[in-house]
Amino acid sequence: MNTPLDLNNFRVKAAPPTIFYIPNFITKDEEEYLWRQVYSAPKPKWTHLSNRRLQNWGGLPHPKGMVAEDLPKWLETYCEKIAELKVFEEKVPNHVLVNEYEAGQGIMPHVDGSLYYPTVSTISLGSHTLLDFYKPLQSSESGDDTSQIHSTSLKERYMQSILLEPRSLVLVCDDMYKVYLHGIAECKSDVMTDKVANIDLCETANIGDNLQRTTRVSLTIRYVPNILKAKLVFGKKR
Ligand SMILES: O=C(O)CCC(=O)C(=O)O
Ligand SMILES: [Fe+2]
């Protein structure tokens, strides 16, 4: 067995707590294998959104609990590999969202919320992308309509970005999960500036580079703690 990675070597020091970035977490062969698995999923497995497509694996997270479905072997393997890093305490991730972005597509700034254990792990396939982080609205700004008039623009709330290279793993934990928003801008290329907080950990990019995006597939791997037993859903005779 391989010795587990020492995550301390992969901490993004220029970001608020806590982000770990691991370049080449998987090999090119594994990347090709995962890519093939994603694209051999049955057509109805894809959900089409305006700016991306996705596949949901493991069950639909719900405030009342998730009716868990077995993950296919090809995803389970990577959930187990990530569990070895102990970022979900002793738990093994049980939910995977596959997102596909063409060049020019993205995802609006958002927080992943409380249905998941507050750590997200993402493997990138195909293209790089830039994951942008934003400060939340001040509490005085959220709330009623009048306060929205004074709300700070997203541009002002932009904090920094993390370059996600193909085959990398990023772990977003603690305040970076719970407090800050993340999103992917809808653009076709990304210039590397000093706002790219993990540039020193990246293997393929330097400040000043302009990276052209192609199709990217991400595997967003999480742990849903609140699991419903199917029996309870359909009711049990007393
Ligand atoms: O594709 C990514 O890396 C981000 C996806 C994401 O933020 C999400 O699915 O919640
Ligand atoms: Fe997200």
Side-chain angles (χ1 to χ4, degrees):
M1 229 178 86
N2 293 334
T3 39
L5 290 172
D6 180 357
L7 277 185
N8 278 318
N9 299 330
F10 300 97
R11 185 187 297 267
V12 179
K13 298 193 185 82
T18 309
I19 293 196
F20 300 102
Y21 177 75
I22 304 157
N24 291 313
F25 181 70
I26 59 168
T27 64
K28 274 198 173 219
D29 284 351
E30 290 178 284
E31 180 187 28
E32 278 168 26
Y33 166 75
L34 287 170
W35 189 273
R36 273 199 309 273
Q37 299 304 314
V38 167
Y39 287 102
S40 43
K43 253 196 162 169
K45 195 71 198 166
W46 287 103
T47 300
H48 294 253
L49 304 179
S50 59
N51 55 357
R52 65 193 160 105
R53 290 200 295 167
L54 60 87
Q55 295 173 8
N56 183 83
W57 295 95
L60 280 179
H62 188 277
K64 288 188 176 159
M66 179 173 85
V67 179
E69 293 163 9
D70 286 344
L71 288 168
K73 189 74 200 134
W74 57 277
L75 288 173
E76 199 180 46
T77 304
Y78 289 89
C79 289
E80 282 164 5
K81 204 170 157 184
I82 289 166
E84 287 172 20
L85 302 174
K86 305 283 181 216
V87 282
F88 297 94
E89 297 170 44
E90 295 303 313
K91 305 288 193 286
V92 180
N94 55 2
H95 187 266
V96 182
L97 206 61
V98 175
N99 283 299
E100 180 209 57
Y101 308 85
E102 310 276 3
Q105 295 188 315
I107 185 168
M108 292 280 290
H110 64 279
V111 286
D112 287 355
S114 57
L115 297 183
Y116 303 100
Y117 181 91
T119 286
V120 54
S121 52
T122 303
I123 298 176
S124 293
L125 313 174
S127 179
H128 82 279
T129 202
L130 214 49
L131 189 64
D132 302 322
F133 284 86
Y134 299 86
K135 293 181 189 131
L137 285 172
Q138 300 303 308
S139 49
S140 60
E141 294 177 47
S142 54
D144 61 47
D145 280 344
T146 29
S147 60
Q148 287 297 321
I149 297 166
H150 306 289
S151 72
T152 323
S153 75
L154 211 51
K155 198 171 163 191
E156 287 168 301
R157 287 160 55 200
Y158 170 72
M159 195 167 54
Q160 59 189 193
S161 301
I162 301 291
L163 175 63
L164 304 182
E165 297 167 294
R167 298 179 292 287
S168 68
L169 174 75
V170 68
L171 304 168
V172 178
C173 321
D174 305 315
D175 278 1
M176 282 302 250
Y177 181 100
K178 287 184 262 190
V179 177
Y180 299 100
L181 288 79
H182 58 275
I184 296 172
E186 294 187 354
C187 58
K188 293 192 171 169
S189 61
D190 302 285
V191 176
M192 297 301 108
T193 68
D194 60 4
K195 287 288 194 184
V196 180
N198 64 330
I199 195 81
D200 54 324
L201 291 167
C202 290
E203 305 231 319
T204 56
N206 293 299
I207 301 265
D209 289 353
N210 186 5
L211 307 181
Q212 303 299 310
R213 290 194 199 166
T214 55
T215 301
R216 169 172 176 266
V217 167
S218 63
L219 310 182
T220 299
I221 298 170
R222 289 178 277 212
Y223 178 68
V224 177
N226 190 4
I227 297 299
L228 275 182
K229 303 280 174 286
K231 253 190 261 167
L232 293 177
V233 175
F234 298 114
K236 226 163 105 181
K237 282 202 181 131
R238 290 186 211 189

